[in-house]
Amino acid sequence: MEEKKRVEARENDEKKKVITRLKRIEGQVRGIQKMIEEDRYCVDVIIQINAINAALKQVGFSLLEDHANHCVIHALESGDGEASVQELINVVKQFSK
């Protein structure tokens, strides 16, 4: 039971970090909307879009890492690893497109 509580606390901490990062990205998207409304220079808008794409990728990598370190390892330890590893491989392939 103690092990579960520790994992949940870690997950809650990670969840807070991801939510904070997504809120920051949301603000960046609103900033781009404002840039478009203000007819800002196209290159400046594109640079900001690239920054958002990079930030979203980082969130995705963070979630992939968390999934591998918790869900996949748990599946391996409980004897259900093959399906979990294949799922992870498929997600990584999709994410890297």
Side-chain angles (χ1 to χ4, degrees):
M1 189 69 120
E2 189 173 324
E3 176 69 18
K4 186 175 181 180
K5 287 180 183 179
R6 199 174 52 166
V7 170
E8 286 175 4
R10 183 173 50 237
E11 289 173 355
N12 286 334
D13 185 47
E14 286 301 313
K15 185 189 300 187
K16 288 177 186 177
K17 288 178 185 177
V18 169
I19 289 171
T20 298
R21 186 64 182 127
L22 289 171
K23 287 180 180 181
R24 194 173 312 135
I25 292 167
E26 182 181 19
Q28 289 175 293
V29 171
R30 280 195 297 274
I32 289 175
Q33 291 170 339
K34 186 175 179 182
M35 291 174 79
I36 297 293
E37 290 169 354
E38 295 173 351
D39 294 320
R40 297 279 296 273
Y41 186 53
C42 295
V43 172
D44 292 340
V45 175
I46 291 167
I47 289 169
Q48 290 305 309
I49 290 171
N50 189 50
I52 290 170
N53 284 333
L56 283 171
K57 275 227 180 267
Q58 281 304 114
V59 169
F61 284 128
S62 173
L63 293 172
L64 279 171
E65 182 178 10
D66 189 57
H67 178 67
N69 286 326
H70 297 103
C71 301
V72 175
I73 288 175
H74 177 72
L76 288 168
E77 290 171 347
S78 67
D80 225 4
E82 189 174 324
S84 188
V85 169
Q86 188 57 52
E87 179 186 49
L88 178 62
I89 290 169
N90 291 338
V91 169
V92 170
K93 284 180 182 177
Q94 183 178 359
F95 186 70
S96 65
K97 288 182 181 181

mmCIF file of all heavy atoms in Angstrom, residues 67 70-88:
data_model
loop_
_atom_site.group_PDB
_atom_site.id
_atom_site.type_symbol
_atom_site.label_atom_id
_atom_site.label_comp_id
_atom_site.label_asym_id
_atom_site.label_seq_id
_atom_site.Cartn_x
_atom_site.Cartn_y
_atom_site.Cartn_z
ATOM 1 N N HIS A 67 5.459 7.226 -18.875
ATOM 2 C CA HIS A 67 4.766 5.980 -19.230
ATOM 3 C C HIS A 67 5.740 4.798 -19.199
ATOM 4 O O HIS A 67 5.434 3.745 -18.635
ATOM 5 C CB HIS A 67 4.122 6.116 -20.614
ATOM 6 C CG HIS A 67 3.436 4.881 -21.073
ATOM 7 N ND1 HIS A 67 2.304 4.383 -20.466
ATOM 8 C CD2 HIS A 67 3.730 4.022 -22.073
ATOM 9 C CE1 HIS A 67 1.930 3.277 -21.079
ATOM 10 N NE2 HIS A 67 2.781 3.032 -22.059
ATOM 11 N N HIS A 70 6.895 3.970 -15.548
ATOM 12 C CA HIS A 70 5.886 3.496 -14.599
ATOM 13 C C HIS A 70 5.022 2.390 -15.193
ATOM 14 O O HIS A 70 5.072 1.256 -14.748
ATOM 15 C CB HIS A 70 5.022 4.663 -14.105
ATOM 16 C CG HIS A 70 5.810 5.672 -13.355
ATOM 17 N ND1 HIS A 70 6.196 6.864 -13.900
ATOM 18 C CD2 HIS A 70 6.317 5.655 -12.101
ATOM 19 C CE1 HIS A 70 6.904 7.542 -13.017
ATOM 20 N NE2 HIS A 70 6.990 6.829 -11.912
ATOM 21 N N CYS A 71 4.261 2.723 -16.211
ATOM 22 C CA CYS A 71 3.290 1.766 -16.765
ATOM 23 C C CYS A 71 3.969 0.555 -17.403
ATOM 24 O O CYS A 71 3.580 -0.589 -17.155
ATOM 25 C CB CYS A 71 2.396 2.460 -17.791
ATOM 26 S SG CYS A 71 1.484 3.861 -17.105
ATOM 27 N N VAL A 72 4.975 0.810 -18.231
ATOM 28 C CA VAL A 72 5.631 -0.298 -18.930
ATOM 29 C C VAL A 72 6.399 -1.169 -17.937
ATOM 30 O O VAL A 72 6.314 -2.396 -17.991
ATOM 31 C CB VAL A 72 6.544 0.220 -20.067
ATOM 32 C CG1 VAL A 72 7.314 -0.925 -20.709
ATOM 33 C CG2 VAL A 72 5.710 0.955 -21.120
ATOM 34 N N ILE A 73 7.119 -0.548 -17.034
ATOM 35 C CA ILE A 73 7.857 -1.330 -16.037
ATOM 36 C C ILE A 73 6.892 -2.152 -15.185
ATOM 37 O O ILE A 73 7.135 -3.331 -14.918
ATOM 38 C CB ILE A 73 8.758 -0.424 -15.170
ATOM 39 C CG1 ILE A 73 9.948 0.056 -16.007
ATOM 40 C CG2 ILE A 73 9.218 -1.152 -13.914
ATOM 41 C CD1 ILE A 73 10.841 1.053 -15.318
ATOM 42 N N HIS A 74 5.784 -1.548 -14.784
ATOM 43 C CA HIS A 74 4.792 -2.292 -14.005
ATOM 44 C C HIS A 74 4.261 -3.480 -14.811
ATOM 45 O O HIS A 74 4.120 -4.586 -14.272
ATOM 46 C CB HIS A 74 3.641 -1.379 -13.588
ATOM 47 C CG HIS A 74 2.554 -2.088 -12.848
ATOM 48 N ND1 HIS A 74 2.696 -2.537 -11.561
ATOM 49 C CD2 HIS A 74 1.310 -2.453 -13.244
ATOM 50 C CE1 HIS A 74 1.590 -3.142 -11.186
ATOM 51 N NE2 HIS A 74 0.734 -3.107 -12.187
ATOM 52 N N ALA A 75 3.987 -3.273 -16.087
ATOM 53 C CA ALA A 75 3.493 -4.362 -16.941
ATOM 54 C C ALA A 75 4.541 -5.469 -17.064
ATOM 55 O O ALA A 75 4.210 -6.657 -17.018
ATOM 56 C CB ALA A 75 3.114 -3.823 -18.313
ATOM 57 N N LEU A 76 5.799 -5.086 -17.208
ATOM 58 C CA LEU A 76 6.869 -6.087 -17.296
ATOM 59 C C LEU A 76 6.960 -6.899 -16.001
ATOM 60 O O LEU A 76 7.092 -8.125 -16.039
ATOM 61 C CB LEU A 76 8.214 -5.406 -17.581
ATOM 62 C CG LEU A 76 8.399 -4.850 -18.990
ATOM 63 C CD1 LEU A 76 9.622 -3.953 -19.039
ATOM 64 C CD2 LEU A 76 8.498 -5.972 -20.001
ATOM 65 N N GLU A 77 6.883 -6.225 -14.880
ATOM 66 C CA GLU A 77 6.978 -6.899 -13.587
ATOM 67 C C GLU A 77 5.788 -7.819 -13.323
ATOM 68 O O GLU A 77 5.915 -8.821 -12.635
ATOM 69 C CB GLU A 77 7.109 -5.866 -12.465
ATOM 70 C CG GLU A 77 8.443 -5.160 -12.475
ATOM 71 C CD GLU A 77 8.503 -3.989 -11.505
ATOM 72 O OE1 GLU A 77 7.440 -3.551 -10.987
ATOM 73 O OE2 GLU A 77 9.623 -3.497 -11.265
ATOM 74 N N SER A 78 4.632 -7.473 -13.885
ATOM 75 C CA SER A 78 3.435 -8.287 -13.644
ATOM 76 C C SER A 78 3.233 -9.352 -14.727
ATOM 77 O O SER A 78 2.223 -10.048 -14.723
ATOM 78 C CB SER A 78 2.198 -7.394 -13.542
ATOM 79 O OG SER A 78 1.925 -6.791 -14.791
ATOM 80 N N GLY A 79 4.200 -9.447 -15.666
ATOM 81 C CA GLY A 79 4.119 -10.486 -16.693
ATOM 82 C C GLY A 79 3.310 -10.095 -17.911
ATOM 83 O O GLY A 79 3.037 -10.925 -18.773
ATOM 84 N N ASP A 80 2.919 -8.848 -18.003
ATOM 85 C CA ASP A 80 2.117 -8.362 -19.129
ATOM 86 C C ASP A 80 2.948 -7.449 -20.027
ATOM 87 O O ASP A 80 2.400 -6.591 -20.709
ATOM 88 C CB ASP A 80 0.926 -7.572 -18.570
ATOM 89 C CG ASP A 80 -0.374 -7.924 -19.238
ATOM 90 O OD1 ASP A 80 -0.384 -8.828 -20.073
ATOM 91 O OD2 ASP A 80 -1.381 -7.266 -18.905
ATOM 92 N N GLY A 81 4.240 -7.639 -20.042
ATOM 93 C CA GLY A 81 5.145 -6.705 -20.678
ATOM 94 C C GLY A 81 5.119 -6.662 -22.183
ATOM 95 O O GLY A 81 5.295 -5.603 -22.777
ATOM 96 N N GLU A 82 4.901 -7.792 -22.827
ATOM 97 C CA GLU A 82 4.985 -7.823 -24.287
ATOM 98 C C GLU A 82 4.005 -6.854 -24.941
ATOM 99 O O GLU A 82 4.386 -6.068 -25.807
ATOM 100 C CB GLU A 82 4.734 -9.247 -24.794
ATOM 101 C CG GLU A 82 5.028 -9.397 -26.280
ATOM 102 C CD GLU A 82 4.912 -10.841 -26.733
ATOM 103 O OE1 GLU A 82 5.265 -11.747 -25.968
ATOM 104 O OE2 GLU A 82 4.454 -11.038 -27.874
ATOM 105 N N ALA A 83 2.765 -6.876 -24.510
ATOM 106 C CA ALA A 83 1.759 -5.976 -25.084
ATOM 107 C C ALA A 83 2.092 -4.519 -24.770
ATOM 108 O O ALA A 83 1.941 -3.639 -25.622
ATOM 109 C CB ALA A 83 0.373 -6.331 -24.557
ATOM 110 N N SER A 84 2.555 -4.267 -23.562
ATOM 111 C CA SER A 84 2.886 -2.907 -23.153
ATOM 112 C C SER A 84 4.075 -2.355 -23.935
ATOM 113 O O SER A 84 4.077 -1.189 -24.339
ATOM 114 C CB SER A 84 3.169 -2.870 -21.653
ATOM 115 O OG SER A 84 3.315 -1.557 -21.214
ATOM 116 N N VAL A 85 5.085 -3.177 -24.152
ATOM 117 C CA VAL A 85 6.254 -2.744 -24.934
ATOM 118 C C VAL A 85 5.841 -2.460 -26.371
ATOM 119 O O VAL A 85 6.250 -1.451 -26.957
ATOM 120 C CB VAL A 85 7.390 -3.792 -24.862
ATOM 121 C CG1 VAL A 85 8.479 -3.488 -25.873
ATOM 122 C CG2 VAL A 85 7.967 -3.852 -23.455
ATOM 123 N N GLN A 86 5.004 -3.328 -26.948
ATOM 124 C CA GLN A 86 4.553 -3.103 -28.323
ATOM 125 C C GLN A 86 3.741 -1.813 -28.432
ATOM 126 O O GLN A 86 3.889 -1.046 -29.369
ATOM 127 C CB GLN A 86 3.725 -4.290 -28.827
ATOM 128 C CG GLN A 86 3.391 -4.208 -30.302
ATOM 129 C CD GLN A 86 4.634 -4.088 -31.176
ATOM 130 O OE1 GLN A 86 5.558 -4.879 -31.075
ATOM 131 N NE2 GLN A 86 4.666 -3.087 -32.039
ATOM 132 N N GLU A 87 2.907 -1.574 -27.433
ATOM 133 C CA GLU A 87 2.128 -0.333 -27.406
ATOM 134 C C GLU A 87 3.058 0.875 -27.353
ATOM 135 O O GLU A 87 2.861 1.860 -28.067
ATOM 136 C CB GLU A 87 1.192 -0.322 -26.199
ATOM 137 C CG GLU A 87 0.370 0.949 -26.086
ATOM 138 C CD GLU A 87 -0.435 0.997 -24.805
ATOM 139 O OE1 GLU A 87 0.141 0.755 -23.720
ATOM 140 O OE2 GLU A 87 -1.635 1.289 -24.896
ATOM 141 N N LEU A 88 4.091 0.803 -26.511
ATOM 142 C CA LEU A 88 5.060 1.894 -26.404
ATOM 143 C C LEU A 88 5.763 2.128 -27.734
ATOM 144 O O LEU A 88 5.924 3.276 -28.168
ATOM 145 C CB LEU A 88 6.080 1.595 -25.302
ATOM 146 C CG LEU A 88 7.175 2.636 -25.109
ATOM 147 C CD1 LEU A 88 6.578 3.975 -24.691
ATOM 148 C CD2 LEU A 88 8.183 2.158 -24.084
#
